[in-house]
């Protein structure tokens, strides 16, 4: 069986089960996280910032896109190609699935959190001293609509920003 006939068979099976092709949203948002790629990951604070930011944003993306795709991140770069941008342009192209979708770029995490506030219920805070708790936080994120954040009391940490400046509620505490 060739790949094309295999894919066509799945299409017919799913359409027979009443699974429709996704509908193009009227509006979508993008977030450009590519500036994080410029940070020197050999410096611990930079590595933590990249991890914290991408962990939060990808969880938010998953939660925001549960009912309809409306939040797209740009970050990946493989073999000289910005792969996220490549696929987004493909979807927005002349025959693309998102060709009629109005797209608004977001430049601040706070803006994304505000726009998609209805997609999550609060935070799950995990313990950086127990690496497996980040996996538990990711799981809780999907199960309980929570955003994962690493416990870090540094004044410029994402944890402090989310809990003190934005006052997002902590719903699950995985520290200690």
């Amino acid at each position: 069986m060739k790949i094309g006939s295999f894919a066509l068979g799945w299409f017919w099976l799913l359409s027979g089960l009443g699974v429709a092709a996704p509908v193009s949203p009227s509006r979508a948002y993008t977030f450009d996280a590519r500036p994080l790629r410029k940070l020197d990951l050999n410096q611990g604070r930079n590595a933590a910032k990249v991890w914290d930011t991408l962990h939060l944003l990808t969880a938010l993306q998953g939660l925001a896109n549960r009912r309809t795709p409306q939040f797209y991140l740009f970050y990946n770069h493989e073999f000289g190609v910005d792969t996220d941008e490549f696929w987004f342009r493909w979807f927005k192209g002349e025959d693309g699935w998102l060709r009629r979708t109005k797209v608004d770029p977001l430049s601040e995490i706070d803006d994304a959190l505000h726009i998609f506030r209805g997609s999550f219920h609060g935070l799950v805070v995990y313990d950086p001293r127990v690496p497996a708790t980040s996996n538990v936080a990711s799981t809780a994120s999907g199960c309980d609509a929570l955003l994962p954040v690493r416990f870090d009391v540094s004044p410029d940490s994402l944890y402090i920003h989310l809990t003190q400046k934005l006052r997002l509620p902590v719903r699950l505490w995985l520290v200690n």
Side-chain angles (χ1 to χ4, degrees):
M1 178 186 284
K2 294 182 180 178
I3 295 293
S5 59
F6 178 76
L8 185 60
W10 271 108
F11 171 77
W12 287 114
L13 173 66
L14 292 175
S15 58
L17 295 174
V19 177
V23 176
S24 177
S26 60
R27 185 177 204 173
Y29 298 88
T30 61
F31 188 93
D32 191 352
R34 290 176 290 196
L36 293 172
R37 294 191 326 223
K38 296 177 183 173
L39 296 177
D40 179 3
L41 298 181
N42 291 317
Q43 295 181 18
R45 290 300 305 159
N46 288 345
K49 179 180 181 170
V50 170
W51 169 260
D52 291 347
T53 304
L54 291 176
H55 197 189
L56 180 88
L57 285 172
T58 54
L60 179 61
Q61 181 183 37
L63 295 172
N65 291 343
R66 276 191 165 163
R67 289 194 173 83
T68 185
Q70 56 185 337
F71 187 42
Y72 197 91
L73 299 176
F74 296 117
Y75 180 77
N76 288 319
H77 183 86
E78 299 292 329
F79 309 110
V81 176
D82 278 328
T83 50
D84 293 329
E85 185 173 345
F86 171 84
W87 286 110
F88 189 74
R89 287 180 187 232
W90 180 279
F91 297 145
K92 283 292 293 170
E94 182 179 326
D95 294 328
W97 168 58
L98 299 175
R99 69 186 171 277
R100 292 186 184 98
T101 300
K102 180 183 181 325
V103 177
D104 294 320
L106 302 173
S107 59
E108 301 294 328
I109 290 175
D110 292 8
D111 295 337
L113 293 170
H114 176 73
I115 287 169
F116 298 112
R117 184 62 182 100
S119 300
F120 62 93
H121 303 301
L123 304 173
V124 51
V125 180
Y126 63 92
D127 192 337
R129 296 172 299 161
V130 184
T133 60
S134 71
N135 295 335
V136 175
S138 295
T139 301
S141 175
C143 293
D144 298 330
L146 302 173
L147 296 176
V149 62
R150 182 178 55 88
F151 179 69
D152 179 358
V153 293
S154 304
D156 62 340
S157 73
L158 189 58
Y159 169 77
I160 293 296
H161 180 77
L162 297 173
T163 57
Q164 292 184 9
K165 181 180 182 237
L166 298 183
R167 300 210 180 284
L168 294 177
V170 174
R171 301 289 187 204
L172 182 58
W173 184 257
L174 301 175
V175 179
N176 294 328

